[in-house]
Amino acid sequence: MDLVLGIADEYLLDDVWATLLPASRFSSACAGHHMNALNSTISQSEFVAKCGAPGQAMSWLPRDNIIRQFLSLYVITYIGIVLLYFSCATFSYYFLFNKELKKHPRFLKDQVKLEIQSSLRAFPWLDLLTVPWFVAEVRGYSRVYDRWDEYGLWYLILSVPLFLVFTDACIYWVHRIEHHPLLYKHVHKPHHKWIVPTPFASHAFHPLDGYAQSLPYHIFPCIFPLNKLLFLCLFGFVNLWSIMIHDSDMINNTGFEKYINGPAHHTLHHLYFTCNYGQYFTTCDRLFSSFREPQPEDDPLLEAQGVSRPTKDIKTQ
């Protein structure tokens, strides 16, 4: 996130902070740092990282102040997730989600509105929990790196499947533990309010639920080196994937059902509660006996059209 924060500081936030919290004392201190930089005591890049570009208005909170970093990243993260959520979920809802599913007997009245409201309530608290991880990354407490060739091209390429496999396995267990009766009703049940979800349900959860399932994404770069730009791309991808698998689409017979945990698998999870806990792959579900392969007769669209589905293993939680 230091890439994003650096760009935001340079083109917007330096001026915003200087306007909100201007301070001549700190301006003088920065001027002193600038003179030192000219005398090679500190580098020009160190000066810019701390105070901004020479000659511009400055704030008494420099760029490297942890409070400024936290607040800046909180705003950036909040705006980012709101834009991503509404743009991608809206696209998926209008172009991919089958509106016939709204006739399903378990589709709630005003469900789309309720899903959006639930998401908007969760975002501020979810971001508050998440931003400390981004601050830690910006301040150097992770193994993210700048140059794409720092660990070699092969590691850069292989870090993508490593990230996906690691986070998928972790999320599987976080998700499955959240279904334990001691936790389910307090944390995960709000997300299962949506039996037949729309893409707007992707982030309609309890903040602790969303945070718990996001932890593997932040833990990974603390254990394994990961390119900064690649991390941003992967973080965006996982949010897109979460939206995509909530479109209730029961695509079958593609040949990937046994390996990829797609929308059909997650639709079954919302319908039956006790299967398909994985995020991207079906590996953990197949290893730990929670895999249910999508079948044409499981399609909730059938029930929406008045065709009865098997109900012997449907659970209400």
Side-chain angles (χ1 to χ4, degrees), residues 31-316:
H33 283 301
H34 184 44
M35 292 302 295
N36 288 336
L38 294 177
N39 294 323
S40 300
T41 303
I42 63 172
S43 68
Q44 184 72 22
S45 60
E46 289 175 320
F47 169 78
V48 172
K50 182 175 180 64
C51 300
Q56 73 178 97
M58 288 171 282
S59 168
W60 62 268
L61 285 180
R63 284 186 179 185
D64 63 355
N65 180 275
I66 191 171
I67 296 175
R68 169 171 165 170
Q69 289 174 338
F70 183 94
L71 294 175
S72 295
L73 286 168
Y74 182 87
V75 172
I76 291 170
T77 303
Y78 183 81
I79 293 174
I81 189 60
V82 168
L83 290 177
L84 180 72
Y85 172 73
F86 278 107
S87 60
C88 296
T90 299
F91 177 87
S92 182
Y93 176 76
Y94 282 104
F95 295 101
L96 302 177
F97 178 74
N98 192 326
K99 308 303 183 298
E100 287 290 308
L101 288 168
K102 297 174 71 172
K103 300 176 182 178
H104 193 282
R106 304 188 76 179
F107 194 90
L108 304 179
K109 181 182 179 181
D110 297 324
Q111 181 172 311
V112 172
K113 177 182 176 180
L114 294 172
E115 289 171 341
I116 293 173
Q117 290 176 340
S118 177
S119 299
L120 291 177
R121 286 194 299 269
F123 286 150
W125 299 105
L126 179 60
D127 287 354
L128 189 65
L129 294 168
T130 300
V131 166
W133 289 95
F134 292 147
V135 173
E137 179 208 324
V138 168
R139 300 184 72 83
Y141 297 102
S142 75
R143 302 191 67 185
V144 295
Y145 60 91
D146 291 295
R147 292 179 49 186
W148 67 269
D149 59 347
E150 188 169 336
Y151 287 85
L153 177 60
W154 278 113
Y155 180 80
L156 180 72
I157 296 172
L158 291 175
S159 61
V160 174
L162 178 61
F163 176 89
L164 295 177
V165 169
F166 175 88
T167 55
D168 180 75
C170 292
I171 291 171
Y172 173 86
W173 284 110
V174 170
H175 192 180
R176 188 157 185 175
I177 289 170
E178 285 184 337
H179 275 260
H180 190 281
L182 292 178
L183 290 175
Y184 178 80
K185 65 179 180 180
H186 301 294
V187 177
H188 195 51
K189 187 174 182 177
H191 186 61
H192 275 284
K193 180 179 182 180
W194 328 111
I195 305 298
V196 181
T198 80
F200 291 107
S202 59
H203 292 73
F205 41 49
H206 190 289
L208 289 178
D209 181 7
Y211 177 66
Q213 294 198 50
S214 74
L215 279 176
Y217 307 136
H218 305 295
I219 293 172
F220 181 89
C222 293
I223 301 174
F224 304 99
L226 187 62
N227 178 266
K228 291 179 180 180
L229 183 58
L230 182 59
F231 182 36
L232 286 175
C233 293
L234 288 170
F235 196 76
F237 167 76
V238 298
N239 279 280
L240 287 174
W241 185 268
S242 294
I243 293 171
M244 185 193 73
I245 63 175
H246 283 87
D247 67 9
S248 296
D249 198 337
M250 287 290 291
I251 297 175
N252 294 283
N253 301 318
T254 64
F256 294 104
E257 287 84 5
K258 291 185 181 295
Y259 312 104
I260 303 299
N261 185 41
H265 300 76
H266 201 69
T267 297
L268 294 182
H269 176 74
H270 275 262
L271 287 170
Y272 295 101
F273 296 90
T274 57
C275 62
N276 301 344
Y277 298 100
Q279 185 76 348
Y280 322 109
F281 308 117
T282 63
T283 307
C284 288
D285 282 299
R286 286 188 284 112
L287 286 174
F288 300 104
S289 303
S290 56
F291 177 62
R292 178 168 180 147
E293 186 172 350
Q295 301 295 331
E297 61 268 22
D298 289 322
D299 195 338
L301 185 60
L302 296 175
E303 198 167 357
Q305 296 172 338
V307 180
S308 298
R309 285 193 308 109
T311 57
K312 62 182 187 321
D313 54 350
I314 294 180
K315 294 186 178 182
T316 302

